[in-house]
Amino acid sequence: MSYLFTSESVSEGHPDKISDQISDAVLDAMLAQDPDSRVACETLVTTGLAVVAGEITTNAYVEIPDVVREKIKQIGYNSDSYQFDAESCGVTVALHSQSADIAQGVNEGEGEDKGQGAGDQGMMFGYATTETPEYMPMALAFSHRLVKELANIRKNELELMPYLRPDSKAQVTIEYDENNQPTRVHTVVISTQHDDFDEESKMLAKIKSDMISILIPRAIPAKLLDENTVYHINPTGKFVIGGPHGDAGLTGRKIIVDTYGGKGAHGGGAFSGKDASKVDRSAAYATRHIAKNLVAAGVADEVLVQVAYAIGVSHPVSLNINTYGTAKVELDDIEIANRVSEIFDMRPKSIVERLGLKKPIFSPTAAYGHMGRDAYEAEVDLFYVEIQEDESQRVETRKKVRQKVEFFTWEKLDYVDKVKEAFSL
């Protein structure tokens, strides 16, 4: 019997996503100078104001207000008419150092076995499926594509939709058959902020026409759309007031958008603004890496990986695999989990080293999903202090270097061969 499943995404101009992007921009600015920075940065945005708070221990010096304003400008809030503008909004900073009680359990101990303890207790999940080329659930993949393409049009092809403003949301419902295979797009919901350019009925008609004729064909394959697909475009009416002026935003309030759109499971921990010593982030990336490589290697068509930690302890307290009955190997899920534990070292220090998580690579993750993205390399600015001293003086000079780093390393299929070997595939 067929059934429906729905996921949503929000654009980079959504107030919660603005907060996520600011928090990760602060994190990256710290890591660019001090890769051992400990950062737990939370951001609140509202009308004309951004508040940055949390715990940071670092040797870096960063002008936080400059980082905040630059990120807001990049997103597209650069007009007083939005009631939230990069140049004029207030920026309040309330940061202090990490608790010594937490640090003593997280700092790397002596000896290879102890290593770096987990930054907190909790469980993290990674998921992968064959539904889409990016090994992501179809409803979420399409939702991400819609809001990402809206931002692309707003920034690069504004002549197509000159009324677009930064805030938007999308939601896609997929119809599945009795064999759990996606068959068609049942419903598409899009709400986009816009200029007040005409009387309401004419504005809504124009926006709906553009969404159906221009946007949706760029994001969703035509073969999955039919005459029965339902479209809800700005269903509440005009959407002129948006962004932080329309609704306050907070870091970590879009954790389902960030991960798998409600498919699989979620441990509850947010990602943005946290350095990789926080397993909420690093272990969630590591479990996605495992799940994606298992599916790509042909172990199963659908995989959910759970890992759990105790604060200050390096080895996970558990690792669980669920293949939802789609396994293609003659092993049960417990046996699959045992082999996975032999392939992937899940101690926090090993995860950080394997995925390169001490580099300033996190800002791009803070909009359009942390998972299902293409791994790539790009140059970034890194800073270090050169010290020259003699008997009379010590001079410290801040130096900048351009270095190529890898982004979205947890999306790489670099363990497929190892998985195939371990499972005799």
Side-chain angles (χ1 to χ4, degrees):
M1 190 172 181
S2 64
Y3 64 94
L4 304 177
F5 189 88
T6 302
S7 295
E8 72 156 350
S9 183
V10 300
S11 73
E12 63 198 70
H14 186 282
D16 293 331
K17 278 286 135 202
I18 297 171
S19 296
D20 285 342
Q21 290 168 92
I22 290 172
S23 292
D24 270 341
V26 172
L27 170 62
D28 278 352
M30 300 288 180
L31 293 175
Q33 296 182 41
D34 178 7
D36 294 318
S37 297
R38 295 283 169 77
V39 180
C41 177
E42 311 293 341
T43 303
L44 160 72
V45 293
T46 187
T47 303
L49 178 66
V51 179
V52 179
E55 301 80 46
I56 292 179
T57 301
T58 184
N59 292 318
Y61 177 77
V62 175
E63 287 284 357
I64 304 290
D66 291 348
V67 173
V68 172
R69 294 186 192 282
E70 179 59 29
K71 180 54 64 176
I72 294 169
K73 182 179 179 181
Q74 289 174 7
I75 293 168
Y77 284 96
N78 47 26
S79 170
D80 286 339
S81 64
Y82 298 156
Q83 301 294 303
F84 184 78
D85 171 42
E87 297 298 327
S88 62
C89 73
V91 179
T92 299
V93 180
L95 298 168
H96 59 86
S97 61
Q98 183 186 51
S99 161
D101 292 345
I102 294 175
Q104 69 180 348
V106 177
N107 292 336
E108 186 177 344
E110 297 295 329
E112 182 179 348
D113 184 60
K114 182 176 181 182
Q116 175 184 320
D120 203 349
Q121 70 177 43
M123 64 283 190
M124 301 83 211
F125 290 90
Y127 177 82
T129 173
T130 56
E131 282 184 13
T132 61
E134 53 265 61
Y135 296 93
M136 290 289 285
M138 186 174 286
L140 181 64
F142 290 173
S143 296
H144 282 327
R145 293 178 197 177
L146 286 166
V147 288
K148 191 172 185 178
E149 186 57 31
L150 263 180
N152 174 61
I153 292 171
R154 175 173 57 86
K155 292 180 174 182
N156 301 311
E157 300 179 79
L158 189 58
E159 67 278 2
L160 293 178
M161 302 181 195
Y163 49 79
L164 289 179
R165 290 186 175 186
D167 193 359
S168 65
K169 302 177 77 171
Q171 183 174 283
V172 176
T173 301
I174 301 296
E175 184 173 321
Y176 289 79
D177 64 20
E178 62 276 6
N179 297 315
N180 295 317
Q181 297 301 307
T183 59
R184 60 183 291 271
V185 173
H186 182 277
T187 301
V188 178
V189 182
I190 300 171
S191 294
T192 182
Q193 186 188 15
H194 57 86
D195 293 336
D196 198 359
F197 62 90
D198 208 334
E199 60 183 73
E200 184 168 339
S201 61
K202 291 181 179 179
M203 283 194 300
L204 294 178
K206 171 61 173 170
I207 293 170
K208 183 171 184 176
S209 173
D210 287 348
M211 295 300 121
I212 293 175
S213 64
I214 300 173
L215 176 67
I216 292 173
R218 293 185 176 195
I220 300 176
K223 65 182 180 181
L224 294 173
L225 301 166
D226 57 39
E227 66 277 6
N228 295 317
T229 298
V230 178
Y231 300 98
H232 295 296
I233 311 298
N234 281 26
T236 61
K238 71 177 184 178
F239 182 10
V240 175
I241 299 173
H245 181 50
D247 187 13
L250 292 170
T251 300
R253 210 159 56 173
K254 287 291 177 284
I255 59 176
I256 300 303
V257 171
D258 285 342
T259 50
Y260 307 104
K263 276 290 186 80
H266 198 296
F271 301 154
S272 291
K274 298 178 180 178
D275 73 274
S277 71
K278 284 74 171 173
V279 283
D280 277 344
R281 183 169 215 160
S282 54
Y285 292 165
T287 51
R288 163 63 177 175
H289 186 229
I290 292 171
K292 186 174 180 180
N293 276 269
L294 289 177
V295 172
V299 174
D301 288 334
E302 186 179 14
V303 170
L304 180 69
V305 181
Q306 185 207 52
V307 67
Y309 293 89
I311 188 169
V313 180
S314 59
H315 287 278
V317 300
S318 67
L319 188 142
N320 178 270
I321 299 286
N322 185 354
T323 63
Y324 302 93
T326 69
K328 300 177 180 178
V329 294
E330 297 297 323
L331 299 170
D332 63 27
D333 288 351
I334 295 173
E335 293 170 317
I336 293 174
N338 290 337
R339 295 201 185 183
V340 165
S341 296
E342 295 172 358
I343 303 169
F344 297 90
D345 187 342
M346 292 298 287
R347 291 176 296 175
K349 180 183 177 184
S350 296
I351 293 172
V352 169
E353 291 176 349
R354 183 163 70 247
L355 300 179
L357 300 181
K358 286 194 174 185
K359 303 290 179 63
I361 60 172
F362 297 106
S363 287
T365 69
Y368 312 119
H370 293 245
M371 320 301 177
R373 310 287 290 276
D374 291 332
Y376 65 91
E377 290 186 347
E379 288 188 342
V380 299
D381 289 331
L382 300 178
F383 301 87
Y384 66 96
V385 175
E386 185 179 86
I387 300 175
Q388 295 178 324
E389 57 183 332
D390 54 31
E391 294 180 356
S392 61
Q393 65 177 349
R394 173 189 172 99
V395 178
E396 296 185 358
T397 306
R398 190 165 177 258
K399 301 281 188 176
K400 180 174 76 172
V401 295
R402 291 286 286 175
Q403 187 177 102
K404 186 173 288 187
V405 299
E406 291 185 300
F407 291 76
F408 295 100
T409 51
W410 50 95
E411 293 296 323
K412 294 170 66 175
L413 296 176
D414 52 346
Y415 270 64
V416 167
D417 289 342
K418 293 180 181 180
V419 170
K420 287 184 175 180
E421 181 180 356
F423 287 91
S424 301
L425 292 170

